[in-house]
Each structure stands twice: as structure tokens, then as C-alpha cells.
Amino acid sequence: AQRVTQPEKLLSVFKGAPVELKCNYSYSGSPELFWYVQYSRQRLQLLLRHISRESIKGFTADLNKGETSFHLKKPFAQEEDSAMYYCALSVQGGSEKLVFGKGTKLTVNP
Amino acid sequence: NAGVTQTPKFRVLKTGQSMTLLCAQDMNHEYMYWYRQDPGMGLRLIHYSVGEGTTAKGEVPDGYNVSRLKKQNFLLGLESAAPSQTSVYFCASGLTSGGGNEQFFGPGTRLTVL
């Protein structure tokens, strides 16, 4: 069965510090992974997807198939990065469903 | 482009009452989804649709029904609301592409069942 695990419910760092939000997945097929972000009182929005290999707002994430991980990283956290972050796995097979992790709430302190 | 819209934004129901949540998208997306978001549980898929006239069950479908009579609309119904259905409901739409399936989310509906 497909599963996404985000081991940290809460993560708190200081402004300027590096941040890493962990995501591990379980899926028998070829994984497509995403990070979604939800800022306070806003809707979820896509932050980045592994297939694009892009950096958005300074965040990057590398798919490691050996460790079945897709950790989100940023070298210097900013206060505006405070938000809820969800890792998601796309399940192929015609429905294109997303399986979400339970989320990590990131707080960047001044 | 309004993107994905949801009505209503807030609603309070009494146990046993019924209601329908409306989701609309103007992006001509084939796929639409209903999720519920609960503290500590993340987002869980209730029902989804891969095209007009089709619906399918997700992870937590019990107590909910859906309809997709028009491509742009996806309705979520609660026939007899229960306190366990107190949650924030998000609708999303998407389409497949070579780059994977990005889903676009609505602003959410906060439902309280007393």
C-alpha cells in the first residue's frame, strides 16, 4: 500500500538557520512526489515537484529512491516560511490521486 | 480566472441535518477531488472524479456522497451529519501531464456539526 510519512509534526528553527523537513514514502510503483505548502488562512499550493528538479523560494528536494525519501531543504530559513508543509505521493493508475503525509508545521522564529 | 472556488466558506449544522458543498473550477480540469483536513491527520481523500459523470470512493467515503453532473462542478453531500464530520473540507482539481499531477485547491469550507 502507498504511504507517506512525515515524522515531525512540529519543527521550530531560528531565522537564518538551515531547515530540513523529512518525508519518507512507501510505494511499489515509480514514485512522483510533491511538496505542498499551506500558509496561515490560505489554501494549499504546490511548492515543488521532484520531476521538475527546481528550486522554489529557496527550497529544494531530492528524491532518494534507495532511502525512499524526499526531504525538503532550505539553507537559510525566513520568517515568511512559517507554514504547514505536506509531502504528497501521486498514485498512478488513471485517477492521479495524491496520498498526503500528515504534515509538518514549520515555525521560523525571529 | 477564479481557479477553484468553494461554497459555503463556513457552516454550522446540527446532528442529522443534511447539506451540500459546492466546488467549481474554471480550468477545464478533468479530475476533481474532495478532501477533509483534520488536526494531526493531514488531508484524507473522501471521493474523487476522473471526468464528468464519474465518481469513485477515496480513503474515507462513509457518510458522504458526491456528484459530477457538469465538468466544472463537483458536489459533496452529507445526508445525515454527525459530529465526527466536523472538519475543514477542501476541493481540488487537476489534470495529468508529463510532469506529474499538480492539484489546485480551493479555499476550504469549515464545517461544524453540533
Side-chain angles (χ1 to χ4, degrees), chain A residues 32 34 36 38 43-44 46 49 51 86 90 94-98 100-102, chain B residues 4 31 33 37 40 45 48 50 90 96 98-103 105-107:
Chain A
E32 289 185 19
F34 305 81
Y36 280 80
Q38 185 179 28
R43 66 186 72 192
L44 276 85
L46 179 68
R49 68 189 90 187
I51 202 164
Y86 292 97
S90 179
S95 67
E96 305 303 321
K97 291 185 288 184
L98 287 177
F100 284 87
K102 294 184 178 181
Chain B
V4 180
Y31 303 94
Y33 310 85
Q37 183 185 43
L45 183 64
Y48 64 98
V50 299
F90 286 99
T96 59
N101 176 31
E102 177 181 356
Q103 291 185 13
F105 284 80

